[in-house]
Amino acid sequence: ASTLGASAAASGRYFGTAVAANHLGESGYVSTLNTEFNSVTAENEMKWDATEPSRGSFTFGGADQVVNHARGQGMRVRGHTLVWHSQLPNWVGQLATADLRTAMNNHITQLMNRYKGQIHSWDVVNEAFQDGGSGARRSSPFQDKLGAGFIEEAFRTARATDPNAKLCYNDYNTDGVNAKSNAVYAMVRDFKARGVPIDCVGFQSHFNSQSPVPGDYQQNLQRFADLGVDVQITELDIAGSGTAQANSYSSVIRTCLAISRCTGVTVWGVTDKYSWRSGDTPLLFDGNYAKKAAYTAVLTAL
Ligand code: XIL
């Protein structure tokens, strides 16, 4: 096939991108998006600060724009993200324990109900583990006040709200086998053993020279798949340019295709000019929407 989405679909997978609502009026952005991708993630519009800036008052303008655009094009949508320490309005951290629990569950319920039946996978919890060798949970209002069980509670609330959405745990620096991914692995194994609802694990896959595509990427994703969850590459971008970048992209795609439970790949943006990694050129299209060597490498690998 001649586009990323159609090529991925040939093996039953999706090929997605992060989308920002404020670029949906730009013709080059929209035509590249519509031609090449068959899944979208709202880059910021579904996050807590965007959707519930003050307690109990929900604002869905940006998220609706992204979802409506996707649906109009027949694209699938990933939900990102329900419970995360970042882009979290201050009021959440100020709540006492009982109120925080209510607010977390209400946030999950309101978001998932709004888009019920329209989201193929939700990042229910994002980035709950620390970097480094400890394997410990990251400090957050949820972790600090509700305790480690907040993740289980979030997944149970999510399942009860939209039983048809795939429920994912999503994180970064978990792409290879390391202390952090071992800790996530132990959590997922425990969830599966105890019947806590979890369907997928998202590997953000933000790569650069400090954190290149790991040599044991496939081995790591496969061990998660072997627990009985799908795996998804959720925020892929790779710093660099030219052949080196193209080869890295190619190896990521081959990794996903080698794992039957790797159900799709999302790159974290359409064009280098709007990448969150300003100063880098980590995506598949340059600032003029020209296809880069990385694009060709991905299309060839798919
Ligand atoms: C980033 C967005 O791309 C930026 O626009 C925003 O300023 C900060 O967040 N991990 C995630 C994503 O899960 O939500 C982050 O997105 C990138 C890191």
Side-chain angles (χ1 to χ4, degrees):
S2 62
T3 67
L4 302 171
S7 299
S11 72
R13 294 176 172 85
Y14 64 85
F15 201 95
T17 180
V19 165
N22 60 318
H23 301 314
L24 288 172
E26 185 186 327
S27 64
Y29 186 91
V30 171
S31 66
T32 305
L33 169 65
N34 292 355
T35 303
E36 293 289 345
F37 298 95
N38 59 9
S39 174
V40 303
T41 305
E43 187 170 1
N44 290 296
E45 291 81 349
M46 288 190 187
K47 294 173 181 176
W48 200 313
D49 59 353
T51 52
E52 194 185 4
S54 59
R55 189 173 183 188
S57 96
F58 287 85
T59 48
F60 291 116
D64 282 356
Q65 266 185 277
V66 172
V67 171
N68 291 340
H69 183 88
R71 283 164 60 79
Q73 293 293 319
M75 298 169 178
R76 309 174 70 199
V77 183
R78 289 194 89 256
H80 175 79
T81 179
L82 297 170
V83 182
W84 187 27
H85 68 278
S86 185
Q87 293 179 270
L88 185 68
N90 283 333
W91 65 264
V92 180
Q94 290 160 4
L95 300 176
T97 300
D99 265 359
L100 178 64
R101 183 184 304 285
T102 304
M104 180 186 82
N105 288 319
N106 184 53
H107 187 79
I108 294 168
T109 305
Q110 297 290 329
L111 270 281
M112 292 186 81
N113 273 333
R114 174 105 185 162
Y115 301 110
K116 197 168 180 168
Q118 303 177 23
I119 304 277
H120 67 81
S121 310
W122 266 109
D123 291 331
V124 178
V125 176
N126 196 34
E127 301 182 353
F129 286 83
Q130 276 179 34
D131 287 313
S134 73
R137 296 292 182 81
R138 178 196 296 276
S139 171
S140 73
F142 309 107
Q143 176 68 30
D144 300 348
K145 290 180 183 160
L146 307 182
F150 87 88
I151 301 185
E152 169 171 354
E153 181 162 348
F155 275 85
R156 290 190 187 280
T157 300
R159 177 68 95 229
T161 307
D162 185 355
N164 294 318
K166 301 276 190 199
L167 307 181
C168 303
Y169 176 80
N170 191 53
D171 214 328
Y172 69 94
N173 283 350
T174 50
D175 311 297
V177 175
N178 57 42
K180 190 175 177 183
S181 67
N182 286 346
V184 176
Y185 179 84
M187 178 188 74
V188 175
R189 188 178 51 193
D190 171 60
F191 279 15
K192 295 301 285 184
R194 291 191 298 111
V196 179
I198 184 167
D199 306 303
C200 36
V201 176
F203 298 85
Q204 292 185 11
S205 304
H206 295 294
F207 297 125
N208 56 39
S209 53
Q210 263 71 57
S211 145
V213 181
D216 53 10
Y217 195 29
Q218 184 178 331
Q219 180 199 333
N220 186 48
L221 269 56
Q222 185 66 57
R223 72 173 171 152
F224 279 89
D226 291 343
L227 291 175
V229 290
D230 289 343
V231 297
Q232 303 178 2
I233 294 170
T234 51
E235 303 182 16
L236 176 63
D237 53 15
I238 308 178
S241 61
T243 305
Q245 182 182 51
N247 288 342
S248 295
Y249 264 104
S250 178
S251 82
V252 171
I253 300 307
R254 284 187 275 107
T255 295
C256 182
L257 292 179
I259 300 170
S260 60
R261 293 200 77 144
C262 181
T263 57
V265 176
T266 299
V267 292
W268 204 241
V270 175
T271 163
D272 283 341
K273 72 176 166 175
Y274 298 140
S275 168
W276 73 303
R277 296 167 67 166
S278 55
D280 278 335
T281 53
L283 296 168
L284 303 179
F285 294 87
D286 73 13
N288 297 314
Y289 300 100
K291 295 168 178 172
K292 296 166 58 181
Y295 171 92
T296 308
V298 169
L299 188 66
T300 304
L302 277 171

